């Protein structure tokens, strides 16, 4: 049933007041905090990343627990696998088979370096993914510098080529394949070159995303607010997600980014879908970087739509607030338990928390 925007807004107001939510429209599984790259702008490149009381060395939750406590308990069809690097997760193939058997649509964000020929054939032949978004942050020299691993570009390219080879060989359109690029001072001048690569490889999408950053005064304001609400937020994780205090981009950089975006939209639109995230208008791009009081949206619906599970099985709506643990309780119960409803009510009454303004979920 398709509801009008007015009806949807009315329902959201009612849900917001009590903190209740319908079954999640998507499940996000953070399978691991480990990664084989060390991207300069990523909050997971550290040797030990605390995530609501867990570290990189923590044992990942068993695939059996994920199946029993999440997949079999929710009607949700769309699953998003992320990390860290999802292909490091030791039980990935088994988990994908379980998701496939239960007719779930699976999307993955990966750096692509671990997709060898064997993986590529399995993925394509068995239809394991609906879409694969592969991180690529520029041509070879730039990408290797930003990922801090020499040879990363060539491994990623090989993964893409293996996938496209088996799609042609087997004669299927899935999985869709896209490049996801986080913009930076180093790669903005190379955007057209990245678009040319997407065209050469016959990719489906090219995404340009903005890095997370939060000024020091806003971080302190967020901490004060969070302590006052007694959400039990783990700031060691939240500070990582909020990002560094400065984005390091000049007005000249952003001007060039906007011009490149226009040209790519004009010259490459017949080859792939261009997906800037969020879908800012040009004046909003300027405000994202140079107006610290501005926010793209004034309300966030992410905790009403998405169940997010960390590698150790903790359920977090966002930032460092734990609302449940799938090793102790099924996801269907956690989704509207007291902790989750309290978090949603607090968010709805506030509009946005101070640290939310540059969150990638506001889209």
């Amino acid at each position: 049933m398709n509801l009008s925007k007015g009806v949807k807004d009315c329902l959201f107001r009612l849900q917001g007041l009590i903190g209740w939510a319908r079954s999640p429209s998507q499940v996000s599984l953070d399978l691991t905090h480990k990664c084989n790259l060390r991207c300069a702008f990523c909050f997971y490149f550290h040797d030990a990343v605390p995530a609501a009381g867990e570290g990189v060395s923590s044992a990942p939750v068993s695939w059996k627990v994920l199946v029993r406590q999440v997949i079999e308990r929710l009607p949700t069809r769309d699953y998003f696998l992320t990390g860290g690097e999802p292909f490091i997760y030791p039980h990935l193939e088994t988990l994908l088979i379980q998701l496939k058997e239960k007719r779930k649509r699976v999307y993955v964000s990966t750096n692509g370096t671990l997709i060898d020929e064997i993986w590529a054939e399995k993925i394509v032949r068995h239809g394991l993914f609906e879409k694969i978004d592969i991180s690529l942050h520029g041509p070879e020299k730039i990408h290797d510098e930003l990922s801090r691993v020499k040879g990363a570009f060539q491994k990623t390219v090989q993964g893409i080529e293996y996938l496209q080879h088996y799609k042609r060989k087997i004669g299927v359109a899935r999985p869709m394949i896209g490049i996801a690029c986080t913009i930076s001072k180093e790669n903005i001048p190379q955007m057209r070159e990245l678009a040319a690569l997407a065209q050469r490889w016959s990719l489906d999408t090219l995404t340009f995303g903005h890095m997370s950053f939060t000024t020091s005064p806003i971080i302190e304001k967020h901490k004060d607010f969070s302590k006052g609400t007694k959400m039990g937020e783990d700031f060691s994780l939240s500070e990582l997600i909020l990002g560094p205090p400065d984005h390091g981009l000049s007005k000249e950089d952003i001007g060039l980014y906007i011009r490149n975006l226009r040209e790519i939209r004009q010259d490459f639109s017949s080859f792939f879908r261009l997906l800037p995230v969020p879908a800012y208008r040009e004046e909003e791009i300027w405000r994202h970087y140079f107006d610290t009081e501005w926010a793209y949206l004034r309300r966030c619906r992410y905790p009403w739509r998405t169940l997010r599970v960390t590698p150790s099985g903790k359920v977090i709506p966002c930032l460092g607030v734990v609302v449940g643990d799938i090793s102790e309780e099924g996801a269907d119960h956690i989704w509207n338990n007291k902790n989750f409803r309290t978090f949603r009510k607090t968010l709805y009454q506030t509009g946005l928390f101070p640290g939310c303004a540059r969150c990638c979920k506001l889209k």
Side-chain angles (χ1 to χ4, degrees), residues 106-118:
V106 185
Y107 305 78
V108 66
S109 295
T110 173
N111 60 46
T113 60
L114 301 178
I115 301 178
D116 57 17
E117 187 171 3
I118 295 172

Side-chain angles (χ1 to χ4, degrees), residues 1-42:
M1 179 175 61
N2 293 322
L3 301 176
S4 68
K5 184 178 183 301
V7 172
K8 289 180 180 178
D9 289 344
C10 182
L11 288 174
F12 178 66
R13 285 195 293 272
L14 292 173
Q15 293 172 5
L17 291 171
I18 61 175
W20 181 86
R22 299 172 65 185
S23 293
S25 59
Q26 62 185 39
V27 172
S28 178
L29 301 179
D30 297 355
L31 295 178
T32 178
H33 289 314
K34 295 180 180 179
C35 187
N36 57 330
L37 302 186
R38 294 291 181 266
C39 297
F41 44 78
C42 181

